[in-house]
Amino acid sequence: MNVLVVNAGSSSIKLRLLDDRDTTLAAEDLPDVDHLSAGALPAALGRITAVAPVTAVGHRIVHGGAEYTGPVAVDEAVTARLRDLTDLAPLHQPKSLAALDAVTAALPEIPAVACFDTAFHATIPVPARSYAVPREWQLRYGVRKYGFHGLSHAYCAARTAELLQRTRLRLVSCHLGAGASLAAVVDGRCVDTTMGFTPLDGLIMATRSGSV
């Protein structure tokens, strides 16, 4: 199986074609999501598929809300629900969905799976993810700490455990890029993180003020 991984971040799009041993078969980087409309993405996909056929596509999606706590096969209902979450991640969600639409249009017969940055943080205990706001806000509007960069933090935690050959670890993982966040991880499970209700919260970032 060859999986095309699509990572549409806040400042770039990264495409990687991996085989079932996680070997990188092809790689393409686009400097900005605006290149989706300029034809650069179809050209990049053409170069990738010339190397090896794509069996499935995995999309990094920033916000999965409280509903999606693991990977999910993409269909129209899932896409519609993800669009509903745009207000909670206005810098990222439109770019993720634009990449999803563009790749699906170019590879319509290839199954797509959405993987969520919020999913890793679903294990944060209720006291740590709750804000001091009326409970009605939590129930009606979903006001809670979601956390982001979860795919990165999950990889860091798993890779650290692998390199140290230890299964029980208490660590702080750091995702430092145009967006930045920290996560507290105990034995592979996230227990707290700096980003909260939206990806604007937490550390100071390239285009985000962080906590005010």
Side-chain angles (χ1 to χ4, degrees):
M1 175 178 284
N2 298 329
V3 178
L4 174 64
V5 179
V6 181
N7 180 358
S10 62
S11 59
S12 65
I13 298 180
K14 296 180 175 63
L15 306 170
R16 300 291 184 271
L17 184 63
L18 308 176
D19 65 14
D20 51 12
R21 293 168 294 183
D22 282 345
T23 301
T24 300
L25 303 177
E28 293 280 342
D29 291 344
L30 303 179
D32 193 274
V33 180
D34 291 339
H35 284 75
L36 287 172
S37 59
L41 180 63
L45 291 174
R47 291 190 292 270
I48 287 174
T49 55
V51 174
V54 175
T55 311
V57 182
H59 289 269
R60 174 207 175 194
I61 305 293
V62 168
H63 213 311
E67 181 175 355
Y68 299 121
T69 59
V72 62
V74 176
D75 58 21
E76 291 185 3
V78 170
T79 302
R81 176 62 184 129
L82 297 180
R83 294 194 195 284
D84 290 340
L85 296 169
T86 295
D87 286 347
L88 299 183
L91 183 64
H92 298 81
Q93 202 80 345
K95 296 179 179 180
S96 298
L97 294 175
L100 173 61
D101 290 342
V103 173
T104 300
L107 303 172
E109 303 302 321
I110 306 300
V113 174
C115 302
F116 303 99
D117 269 338
T118 48
F120 182 62
H121 305 296
T123 57
I124 295 177
V126 172
R129 74 177 188 225
S130 299
Y131 292 113
V133 298
R135 180 166 174 77
E136 180 186 2
W137 295 8
Q138 301 178 39
L139 299 176
R140 179 178 294 184
Y141 305 115
V143 177
R144 51 166 283 186
K145 176 181 283 189
Y146 288 101
F148 300 91
H149 296 143
L151 297 172
S152 173
H153 289 298
Y155 174 80
C156 286
R159 184 63 174 148
T160 299
E162 180 182 2
L163 291 173
L164 295 179
Q165 298 183 351
R166 293 174 58 184
T167 57
R168 300 186 64 83
L169 283 174
R170 298 165 60 88
L171 59 90
V172 173
S173 56
C174 307
H175 178 96
L176 303 175
S181 66
L182 308 181
V185 184
V186 177
D187 301 338
R189 293 170 59 87
C190 183
V191 297
D192 209 346
T193 186
T194 55
M195 280 185 169
F197 184 50
T198 77
L200 303 176
D201 197 14
L203 305 180
I204 296 171
M205 293 168 260
T207 59
R208 286 163 271 174
S209 65
S211 298
V212 176

